[in-house]
Amino acid sequence: MEQSGNSTKPKLFVAGDINGFFGLMFDNLTVLSFLAGILIFAFKYPADIVYSKMFPGTAFGVLVGDLIYAYMAINLAKRTNNKNVTAMPLGLDTPSTIGIALTVLGPAFIALKSKGMGEREAAEMTWYIGMATMVMIGLIKVVFSFIGGWVQKVVPQAGLLGSLAGIGLALIGFLPMVDIFGLPVVGTISLGIIIYNLIAGIDLPKKFPGVLLAVGFGTLSYYILGPMGLSGGEFAAPKAELNFALPIPTLDFIKGFVPALTYLPIAFPFAVLTVIGGINVTESAKVGGDDYDTRSVLLTEAFATLIAGVCGGVAQSTPYIGQPAYKAMGSRIGYVILTGVFVGLGGMLGYVSYIVELIPRAVLAPILIFVAVDIMVQAFAAVPVNHLPAVCFAYFPNIARLVQIKLSNPSVVPTERFNELMIEAGKTLPETLVIVALGNGFILTAMLWGAFIAKICDRQLKSASVYLLILAFLTFFGIIHSAIPDGNMYFPWTLNEPARSIPYQFTASYIILAVMFYLLSFTKESKEPPKEVHH
């Protein structure tokens, strides 16, 4: 580093930016691919609305955020006279994009059609709901940019990271694994390269980018084996279509604002988690020598998300965890400029949607497997050993949500049969109803479950009782554990049996636990230091 009296002009582009570009760009393309795939194939959502209305605004948010982060890196380099500053990587948030596609957009589309809306009308309203959800997330992130540190202190890491790790296991990891083995040879070729290079951390010859090799080799294998009938599925050549559309600001999100409030219990934790993640990313960048202002980093991701939502986007932007990794591979500032421009223009000119059609999801899925594994490992590595049971406990609501997604999909379980299962009488509450209730509000539930168990592990039983009372309050009004399949909030007395039993029975259960732990907090044994745990 040069002396502070000298002026250092940072280089915008260096050789290492090429590796960084391919890594960050393919991360974003992978998220867009799964957003499109979930909506189009799982929920039969019209593809043209995804590509011409959702993609442009979503990609534009990435462009805006990456350019701001590049500007921040240039300023930091000049201010510190350090030409080796690496820009903060920004892209589409993987957990929330997949989570919102599976638990907001898809279910909203199905619910609207079940109420008698035509397919196109339901698709348009779903888009409005997605935009409104992004605007709400952006506003929440603006607020939490100022209080994120406080949240980080109040909620134990086991709750924050455990809920995210559960998403990694159930939604980001398991579903892509199904895609990989849907085209077994092609998918596992890419998976093998990702395991070797990214998960095991072994460099390829000449430090060739593992993501580029995995995607390139896997795609080539598909187009060689597919036409020969050796890929494991029916080969379909991609349509050579470019969906040109500009991300024009619109107030259409207002039309979806009221129905989007239903999905606030899902959107709220996703927003908070990216803020906490942004704080952690900024701290890791500081350790590596790039001292960014935390609030500026957080406000940028909030602004990029708001811009995306107002322009038709349905996925939030966030700073990526791997800033030190990009720095280690020699990336500096240019890689975020290249990524932002490539993804942003691609959303407008339509070549991103063409690439998404061109590359099989089985080839991109291993990248998400790496993300899922990394998220789960981070949860176990970062929390105290005695909090590991809390992390594991936070997985269960995510698994319930995964099962609910499959059960409530009419192509898997016919709607009439699903409705019968929801009210099927027996010695217990209907199993399907319980699964639905456990899955609704799953992120917030997982966060609070992890938090109250961590407090018990620390012998802070009164604090655990507070978390349980919060769970009881949220449950009573269906903010979490909603007994309605689409997750709507309600006044419990308006429900019919057996759905009405969920808010009363679940709420009573949480209150009883809260009282029980409060009383136990006065025992001599509960005040003893936590036992040393070995795992």
Side-chain angles (χ1 to χ4, degrees):
M1 187 181 295
E2 300 179 22
Q3 296 300 314
S4 59
N6 301 329
S7 176
T8 298
K9 186 176 181 181
K11 291 183 178 179
L12 288 184
F13 299 97
V14 297
D17 285 320
I18 302 300
N19 281 345
F21 162 69
F22 280 114
L24 189 57
M25 181 268 291
F26 276 124
D27 275 349
N28 280 277
L29 287 188
T30 301
V31 177
L32 286 171
S33 174
F34 274 81
L35 170 64
I38 290 166
L39 292 177
I40 296 168
F41 298 111
F43 293 101
K44 311 304 179 188
Y45 191 91
D48 63 300
I49 293 181
V50 174
Y51 293 142
S52 64
K53 294 192 174 182
M54 292 182 173
F55 267 25
T58 300
F60 185 60
V62 174
L63 170 61
V64 170
D66 271 328
L67 290 182
I68 294 175
Y69 278 165
Y71 176 75
M72 287 170 59
I74 292 169
N75 280 347
L76 180 63
K78 290 179 178 177
R79 191 173 71 249
T80 60
N81 288 329
N82 178 12
K83 62 183 179 181
N84 293 319
V85 166
T86 295
M88 195 71 74
L90 178 136
L92 299 173
D93 180 57
T94 304
S96 65
T97 301
I98 293 176
I100 285 173
L102 286 168
T103 61
V104 176
L105 300 175
F109 179 57
I110 289 175
L112 291 168
K113 287 197 297 181
S114 69
K115 293 175 182 175
M117 275 194 187
E119 182 179 80
R120 299 296 297 184
E121 186 184 1
E124 288 279 340
M125 180 52 71
T126 299
W127 177 44
Y128 301 151
I129 291 171
M131 293 168 62
T133 302
M134 281 307 103
V135 171
M136 286 194 299
I137 285 178
L139 293 173
I140 292 168
K141 286 162 78 165
V142 169
V143 173
F144 275 82
S145 295
F146 296 91
I147 62 172
W150 174 78
V151 174
Q152 205 170 16
K153 291 177 183 176
V154 170
V155 181
Q157 275 192 321
L160 292 169
L161 297 181
S163 60
L164 196 59
I167 296 170
L169 171 70
L171 301 182
I172 303 175
F174 178 74
L175 292 177
M177 192 66 79
V178 173
D179 283 306
I180 290 170
F181 286 93
L183 295 173
V185 175
V186 172
T188 53
I189 287 172
S190 296
L191 179 61
I193 295 170
I194 293 297
I195 291 172
Y196 180 89
N197 183 232
L198 296 185
I199 293 179
I202 306 172
D203 285 338
L204 291 165
K206 306 294 184 183
K207 293 190 180 293
F208 195 85
V211 171
L212 179 59
L213 180 63
V215 173
F217 195 33
T219 302
L220 180 64
S221 302
Y222 175 71
Y223 285 100
I224 291 173
L225 298 175
M228 298 166 61
L230 299 175
S231 66
E234 294 183 7
F235 176 76
K239 299 176 183 178
E241 295 179 356
L242 296 178
N243 300 279
F244 176 79
L246 294 174
I248 300 171
T250 173
L251 294 177
D252 281 345
F253 70 87
I254 295 174
K255 300 176 185 176
F257 214 85
V258 172
L261 291 173
T262 297
Y263 301 100
L264 189 58
I266 296 172
F268 179 80
F270 275 135
V272 174
L273 284 168
T274 62
V275 171
I276 303 302
I279 293 171
N280 293 336
V281 169
T282 309
E283 287 301 313
S284 71
K286 287 179 181 178
V287 172
D290 296 336
D291 191 6
Y292 287 103
D293 176 65
T294 303
R295 187 165 295 165
S296 297
V297 170
L298 298 179
L299 287 173
T300 297
E301 68 159 304
F303 179 69
T305 300
L306 275 171
I307 287 291
V310 171
C311 293
V314 296
Q316 68 169 326
S317 300
T318 187
Y320 278 7
I321 292 171
Q323 197 266 2
Y326 286 108
K327 193 176 191 69
M329 70 173 68
S331 301
R332 294 297 176 255
I333 299 173
Y335 81 106
V336 297
I337 298 175
L338 292 172
T339 300
V341 171
F342 183 88
V343 173
L345 290 181
M348 300 177 213
L349 301 178
Y351 61 77
V352 161
S353 59
Y354 177 68
I355 293 172
V356 164
E357 289 277 350
L358 179 71
I359 302 174
R361 281 201 297 162
V363 172
L364 292 171
I367 301 172
L368 292 182
I369 298 295
F370 164 67
V371 172
V373 169
D374 193 57
I375 289 171
M376 289 187 282
V377 168
Q378 183 190 39
F380 281 96
V383 305
V385 174
N386 67 314
H387 286 184
L388 294 183
V391 172
C392 295
F393 213 87
Y395 282 16
F396 294 128
N398 295 276
I399 296 170
R401 185 61 183 184
L402 176 63
V403 176
Q404 178 195 349
I405 288 166
K406 292 299 181 184
L407 290 177
S408 59
N409 189 336
S411 64
V412 178
V413 178
T415 303
E416 288 184 8
R417 179 55 183 155
F418 177 76
N419 291 335
E420 289 173 0
L421 291 171
M422 286 285 288
I423 58 173
E424 197 170 63
K427 293 183 178 180
T428 66
L429 290 171
E431 183 179 54
T432 302
L433 174 62
V434 172
I435 291 171
V436 167
L438 287 174
N440 280 331
F442 65 107
I443 309 172
L444 195 52
T445 304
M447 187 185 298
L448 293 169
W449 279 14
F452 96 76
I453 292 172
K455 291 297 183 183
I456 293 173
C457 292
D458 286 340
R459 308 296 194 264
Q460 298 178 19
L461 301 188
K462 291 186 177 69
S463 295
S465 296
V466 172
Y467 280 109
L468 285 162
L469 291 175
I470 293 171
L471 281 160
F473 174 80
L474 297 177
T475 298
F476 193 67
F477 298 103
I479 298 172
I480 62 172
H481 298 321
S482 173
I484 301 175
D486 58 10
N488 280 333
M489 295 175 275
Y490 45 64
F491 291 112
W493 50 86
T494 62
L495 300 175
N496 296 320
E497 289 292 353
R500 186 187 301 168
S501 294
I502 292 291
Y504 287 107
Q505 292 281 334
F506 278 36
T507 300
S509 301
Y510 282 129
I511 291 173
I512 289 168
L513 279 180
V515 172
M516 183 178 79
F517 288 125
Y518 179 77
L519 294 175
L520 285 171
S521 71
F522 295 100
T523 64
K524 180 181 69 174
E525 290 78 5
S526 71
K527 294 180 174 61
E528 294 175 358
K531 295 178 181 178
E532 193 171 331
V533 180
H534 299 282
H535 290 287

